[in-house]
Amino acid sequence: MSESSSSNTSSAERLVHVPLGERAYDILIGDGLLARAGGEISSRIKGRKAAIITDEHVGPLYLEALMDSLEVDGIEAVSLTLPAGEKTKSFDHLTKVCDVLLEARIERNDTVIALGGGVIGDLTGFAAGIVRRGVRFVQIPTSLLSQVDSSVGGKTGINARQGKNLVGIFNQPDLVLADTSVLNTLSEREFRAGYAEVAKYGLIDKPEFFEWLERNWRAVFAGGAARTEAIALSCQAKADVVVVDERENGRRALLNLGHTFGHALEAATQYDSSRLVHGEGVAIGMVLAHEFSARLNLASPDDAKRVEKHLKEVGLPTSMSEIPGELPPADVLMQAIAQDKKVKSGQLTFILTHGIGQSFVADDVPSSEVLSFLREKLTQ
Amino acid sequence: MSESSSSNTSSAERLVHVPLGERAYDILIGDGLLARAGGEISSRIKGRKAAIITDEHVGPLYLEALMDSLEVDGIEAVSLTLPAGEKTKSFDHLTKVCDVLLEARIERNDTVIALGGGVIGDLTGFAAGIVRRGVRFVQIPTSLLSQVDSSVGGKTGINARQGKNLVGIFNQPDLVLADTSVLNTLSEREFRAGYAEVAKYGLIDKPEFFEWLERNWRAVFAGGAARTEAIALSCQAKADVVVVDERENGRRALLNLGHTFGHALEAATQYDSSRLVHGEGVAIGMVLAHEFSARLNLASPDDAKRVEKHLKEVGLPTSMSEIPGELPPADVLMQAIAQDKKVKSGQLTFILTHGIGQSFVADDVPSSEVLSFLREKLTQ
Ligand SMILES: NC(=O)c1ccc[n+]([C@@H]2O[C@H](COP(=O)([O-])OP(=O)(O)OC[C@H]3O[C@@H](n4cnc5c(N)ncnc54)[C@H](O)[C@@H]3O)[C@@H](O)[C@H]2O)c1
Ligand SMILES: NC(=O)c1ccc[n+]([C@@H]2O[C@H](COP(=O)([O-])OP(=O)(O)OC[C@H]3O[C@@H](n4cnc5c(N)ncnc54)[C@H](O)[C@@H]3O)[C@@H](O)[C@H]2O)c1
Ligand SMILES: [Zn+2]
Ligand SMILES: [Zn+2]
């Protein structure tokens, strides 16, 4: 990865191919892709019908432009605008989306388009995979988090009262269009939250990328070439992992760095986005994972400090004490961790690290250690 | 296939292997398998937890025996008993099943068991495929229809208000245990309905099997060796088709012989089993498919008569006039056909035939021909 200037001019478009055999697909990253969606879709998918699922924040901003682009290429589209926020990933909304797709007579070769952040992408991808046992599916991610993470890799699903993402399927999209300019209307807070996932790829196994981010994050926030490059590198990093482990039996678990703690915190704050959004939970979770690794003498405490410093600098929360409102006691957080889906036959699986860019899967973490670590952290 | 005496003694067990690569599985067919379920499951699946989904007819008869067998082999099980009938294949019940599986903390290597007919199998297989993006799944089909058809091949799903089976996934089971003796408590009517699917395999591409059935159906109904043989041959026939076309892009569509008309009739009777059950719809549908083929000069009218004669002999309905109550007019039936999932880009796909055991996929059937055929049949 080369150093990038913080110029605001739009960079050349990037393409990341995800080579998954008959489920292979392209991710296009760049400026102005929304306006070209019709052409990109119609050159890849036969059907002349589409249904767009979006949310009440994104719809008013981008739905019309997308509909126009589809119309130009002869694709007839209906749309459904859902409430924004994590609570939309529910059985009720899944039922509603399926109903709309069936009413619109979307068939096997027609397209379902997710226009929105990870919430819309996860819900829509699930619905597209179960209506008629699977119709075509295009992701147009509009949040940074969804561009670098949730739209790639095929995990789709909804939440259950027992926890996040507990119901869903693997459903690879047929195409991902990441228009970097739509991120300009994203709130600062949401952009930062997505940035936590960008930093994650560095922390997993790309120390030089993490270093690059430490120096260039302002350019990524500003837009232009650095942003496109950071998103493309993130998509490539995720695609590389997904290709060797599509169904998360091994290596893919590394992508959950920071997520075991993060998910527990999201559950503990009732998925209330005014208190904590996903990427913020991941930011805190990544710091905790590095600190916990240091406590187990696996990594240097300096690495944890370096992670904390960088995430703080970009404006992300890095400790549980920054979450507004009361948190439940450590044993309740532990329960949420145990119900999390990365539990195998009752044993705790954690992503730990030997240092920046040296994470690994540990599947024998004593829950007593986690509990006392959390107790300590909660009283700091 | 050899001639079989109509003796009632239990025959040797049969095994049909479904070679689908990493999704390969065994179907065991025979007497007394329920009592051996624990051993068969624990020799194939690691997890020590199971959840059994059954219905209010089957549960009281067989749940205890199954739980006992699991307990002997150290598998801890919970159960959920749902209402019997087609209406159970709904989003509401799917939500309920998922909730129960998550509450029971069923994990990836634990087992979800469908103990019941096709309704329980389709619903449970769908839930098992989406909870945690897939846990282990065992079919213990208890109706003849589910033993010879729905438990094999991996199609799972629920109904929508727009039609049957419109929402679901492909989810191959890890094991199918078809205990032929549990069919003794099935009502005559349900046994006959399942028999329609047995006859279907002959009509698709096994004329000698159809002939064998014409001679031996009484023995199949009585139980023993002929029943086991008919079920095993049916499972083998279905497995053969599924293996070459797991996701129904071509040849697998042949399994829908009689089903396009059948599904329309089920929809037209609001899935009210007092008027029509699935296999009865299929029986009528198969006769209609042969008659329609004759009308298009594709097959001899004598073949249609022969199909009608045999199905009548076993006690199945063979014409729409035998369905109690009013049927909607032909154009409403056509609408149901058009919304059926075997529609490709607006064109009608039908399974037609050149005669007994010579069916084929026709994807250019003029809907006007179907409509006038239905008009004629409805006024007979
Ligand atoms: N499938 C996966 O592999 C995967 C990976 C990571 C996260 N996720 C899921 O993703 C979800 C979080 O995604 P998210 O952070 O995108 O949440 P989100 O979809 O709720 O989007 C965040 C907020 O930003 C708004 N928004 C999105 N794009 C905008 C734009 N261009 N302009 C203005 N506002 C915009 C949304 O309306 C919403 O209010 C979680 O449900 C998480 O579980 C899934
Ligand atoms: N997945 C597939 O490939 C596939 C194929 C064909 C049919 N199906 C589906 O299967 C369903 C029909 O299956 P079905 O005919 O088994 O219906 P069903 O599950 O409703 O069973 C029929 C009736 O028999 C009862 N029953 C079942 N086993 C019994 C036993 N041993 N003793 C006493 N009563 C018993 C049930 O409680 C029910 O009342 C439909 O929903 C259809 O769509 C699916
Ligand atoms: Zn994440
Ligand atoms: Zn059938």
Side-chain angles (χ1 to χ4, degrees):
Chain A
M1 162 145 245
S2 63
E3 295 254 342
S4 168
S5 76
S6 62
S7 104
N8 226 331
T9 59
S10 118
S11 70
E13 211 168 284
R14 298 283 297 271
L15 185 152
V16 174
H17 182 70
V18 188
L20 280 170
E22 52 178 25
R23 291 182 301 286
Y25 57 97
D26 290 334
I27 306 168
L28 301 183
I29 303 129
D31 228 326
L33 280 166
L34 194 67
R36 272 177 31 214
E40 297 296 344
I41 291 170
S42 62
S43 70
R44 289 173 174 85
I45 297 177
K46 266 199 310 208
R48 290 292 128 227
K49 275 187 188 171
I52 306 163
I53 314 299
T54 189
D55 77 19
E56 65 199 357
H57 297 154
V58 179
L61 294 168
Y62 302 112
L63 183 57
E64 211 182 305
L66 176 57
M67 296 280 257
D68 288 351
S69 167
L70 295 175
E71 204 188 329
V72 166
D73 283 276
I75 300 171
E76 188 194 321
V78 300
S79 72
L80 171 68
T81 301
L82 296 174
E86 191 65 37
K87 291 199 170 66
T88 294
K89 278 171 62 173
S90 68
F91 261 112
D92 281 353
H93 285 105
L94 179 72
T95 307
K96 174 71 186 159
V97 173
C98 290
D99 188 62
V100 166
L101 301 184
L102 289 169
E103 274 306 286
R105 293 174 174 250
I106 295 293
E107 295 175 9
R108 269 194 193 187
N109 289 314
D110 293 325
T111 308
V112 175
I113 302 173
L115 175 69
V119 164
I120 291 298
D122 282 9
L123 173 71
T124 305
F126 188 15
I130 63 177
V131 159
R132 297 176 184 278
R133 294 199 186 86
V135 298
R136 300 308 201 94
F137 171 46
V138 171
Q139 291 265 22
I140 305 188
T142 62
S143 67
L144 178 56
L145 183 138
S146 56
Q147 293 193 352
V148 299
D149 188 353
S150 61
S151 70
V152 180
K155 274 202 200 175
T156 69
I158 55 175
N159 303 321
R161 66 187 174 92
Q162 292 85 0
K164 276 198 51 152
N165 301 320
L166 287 175
V167 177
I169 54 170
F170 287 94
N171 183 26
Q172 301 294 343
D174 291 283
L175 174 67
V176 181
L177 297 175
D179 187 326
T180 52
S181 59
V182 303
L183 301 181
N184 295 332
T185 55
L186 198 65
S187 72
E188 274 281 312
R189 184 179 175 202
E190 289 292 352
F191 192 92
R192 281 194 299 262
Y195 182 84
E197 306 275 3
V198 175
K200 183 185 75 177
Y201 295 111
L203 294 176
I204 290 173
D205 60 0
K206 294 184 173 45
E208 69 299 346
F209 181 47
F210 188 74
E211 247 182 84
W212 183 88
L213 289 171
E214 288 177 312
R215 279 176 284 119
N216 294 286
W217 67 270
R218 281 183 186 81
V220 174
F221 276 64
R227 180 187 287 178
T228 299
E229 186 148 6
I231 294 173
L233 193 139
S234 298
C235 289
Q236 185 69 60
K238 179 146 186 192
D240 288 348
V241 174
V242 167
V243 164
V244 295
D245 181 19
E246 188 177 359
R247 301 205 135 221
E248 192 162 9
N249 298 309
R251 199 178 152 71
R252 182 161 180 167
L254 289 180
L255 295 173
N256 288 319
L257 176 64
H259 281 62
T260 304
F261 288 124
H263 285 163
L265 293 172
E266 284 184 275
T269 51
Q270 285 86 43
Y271 307 110
D272 174 352
S273 63
S274 71
R275 296 178 66 191
L276 191 76
V277 298
H278 177 75
E280 291 169 348
V282 172
I284 297 171
M286 290 192 299
V287 174
L288 288 174
H290 281 75
E291 288 175 344
F292 185 53
S293 299
R295 184 192 164 102
L296 298 175
N297 287 320
L298 296 165
S300 151
D302 291 346
D303 285 325
K305 294 212 182 80
R306 192 173 145 199
V307 175
E308 189 182 358
K309 176 171 177 292
H310 177 57
L311 297 179
K312 230 187 195 100
E313 201 173 10
V314 308
L316 279 163
T318 55
S319 74
M320 293 189 283
S321 62
E322 291 170 67
I323 301 171
E326 284 282 306
L327 280 184
D331 54 334
V332 174
L333 286 177
M334 266 311 287
Q335 273 168 32
I337 287 174
Q339 175 67 41
D340 197 64
K341 66 192 172 311
K342 288 170 294 303
V343 177
K344 266 188 199 156
S345 306
Q347 275 209 298
L348 278 189
T349 299
F350 253 85
I351 314 305
L352 299 178
T353 189
H354 295 300
I356 307 274
Q358 298 176 63
S359 69
F360 65 97
V361 183
D363 49 18
D364 52 355
V365 176
S367 56
S368 56
E369 283 282 344
V370 184
L371 187 61
S372 58
F373 172 71
L374 281 174
R375 283 222 173 90
E376 210 179 288
K377 283 283 143 190
L378 279 167
T379 54
Q380 270 173 11
Chain B
M1 163 146 245
S2 63
E3 294 253 344
S4 169
S5 76
S6 62
S7 103
N8 227 331
T9 59
S10 118
S11 71
E13 211 166 283
R14 299 282 296 271
L15 185 152
V16 173
H17 182 70
V18 189
L20 280 169
E22 52 178 25
R23 292 182 300 286
Y25 57 97
D26 290 335
I27 306 168
L28 300 184
I29 303 131
D31 227 328
L33 280 166
L34 194 69
R36 271 176 32 212
E40 297 296 342
I41 291 171
S42 62
S43 70
R44 288 172 175 87
I45 297 177
K46 267 199 309 208
R48 290 292 128 227
K49 274 187 188 171
I52 306 163
I53 314 299
T54 189
D55 77 19
E56 65 199 357
H57 296 156
V58 178
L61 294 168
Y62 302 111
L63 183 57
E64 210 183 303
L66 176 57
M67 297 279 258
D68 288 351
S69 166
L70 294 175
E71 204 188 328
V72 167
D73 283 276
I75 300 171
E76 188 193 321
V78 300
S79 72
L80 170 67
T81 301
L82 296 174
E86 191 64 38
K87 291 199 170 64
T88 295
K89 278 171 62 174
S90 68
F91 262 111
D92 281 353
H93 285 105
L94 179 72
T95 307
K96 175 70 185 162
V97 173
C98 290
D99 188 62
V100 165
L101 301 184
L102 289 169
E103 275 306 287
R105 295 175 175 248
I106 295 294
E107 296 175 10
R108 270 195 193 186
N109 289 314
D110 294 325
T111 308
V112 175
I113 302 174
L115 174 70
V119 164
I120 290 299
D122 281 10
L123 173 72
T124 305
F126 188 15
I130 63 178
V131 158
R132 298 177 184 277
R133 295 198 186 86
V135 297
R136 299 309 199 94
F137 171 45
V138 170
Q139 290 265 23
I140 305 188
T142 63
S143 67
L144 178 57
L145 184 139
S146 57
Q147 293 194 351
V148 299
D149 189 353
S150 62
S151 69
V152 180
K155 274 202 200 175
T156 68
I158 56 175
N159 303 322
R161 65 186 174 93
Q162 292 85 358
K164 276 197 51 150
N165 301 320
L166 286 174
V167 177
I169 54 171
F170 287 93
N171 184 26
Q172 301 294 342
D174 290 283
L175 174 67
V176 181
L177 298 174
D179 187 327
T180 52
S181 60
V182 303
L183 301 182
N184 295 332
T185 54
L186 198 63
S187 72
E188 274 280 312
R189 184 180 175 201
E190 289 292 354
F191 193 92
R192 281 194 299 262
Y195 182 84
E197 307 275 4
V198 175
K200 183 185 74 175
Y201 295 111
L203 293 176
I204 290 173
D205 61 359
K206 293 184 174 46
E208 70 296 349
F209 181 47
F210 188 74
E211 248 183 83
W212 183 87
L213 289 172
E214 287 176 313
R215 277 176 285 121
N216 294 285
W217 67 270
R218 282 183 185 82
V220 174
F221 275 64
R227 179 186 288 178
T228 299
E229 186 148 8
I231 294 173
L233 193 140
S234 298
C235 289
Q236 186 69 59
K238 179 148 185 189
D240 289 347
V241 174
V242 167
V243 164
V244 295
D245 181 19
E246 189 177 358
R247 302 205 134 220
E248 193 164 7
N249 298 309
R251 198 178 152 70
R252 182 159 179 172
L254 288 180
L255 295 173
N256 287 319
L257 176 62
H259 281 62
T260 305
F261 288 124
H263 285 163
L265 293 172
E266 285 184 274
T269 50
Q270 284 85 45
Y271 307 109
D272 174 353
S273 63
S274 72
R275 296 179 65 191
L276 191 77
V277 299
H278 178 74
E280 291 169 346
V282 172
I284 298 172
M286 290 193 299
V287 174
L288 288 174
H290 280 75
E291 288 175 342
F292 186 53
S293 299
R295 183 192 166 99
L296 298 174
N297 288 318
L298 296 165
S300 153
D302 291 347
D303 285 326
K305 294 213 183 82
R306 190 172 146 199
V307 175
E308 190 183 355
K309 176 172 179 288
H310 177 58
L311 297 178
K312 229 184 196 104
E313 199 175 9
V314 309
L316 280 162
T318 55
S319 74
M320 294 189 283
S321 61
E322 292 170 66
I323 301 171
E326 284 282 305
L327 280 184
D331 54 334
V332 174
L333 286 176
M334 268 310 288
Q335 272 168 35
I337 287 174
Q339 176 67 40
D340 197 66
K341 66 190 174 311
K342 288 168 292 305
V343 177
K344 266 187 198 156
S345 307
Q347 275 211 299
L348 279 189
T349 298
F350 252 86
I351 314 305
L352 299 178
T353 188
H354 294 301
I356 307 274
Q358 298 176 64
S359 69
F360 65 98
V361 183
D363 48 19
D364 52 355
V365 176
S367 57
S368 57
E369 283 283 345
V370 183
L371 187 61
S372 57
F373 171 71
L374 282 173
R375 283 222 172 91
E376 209 179 289
K377 283 282 143 193
L378 279 166
T379 54
Q380 270 174 9

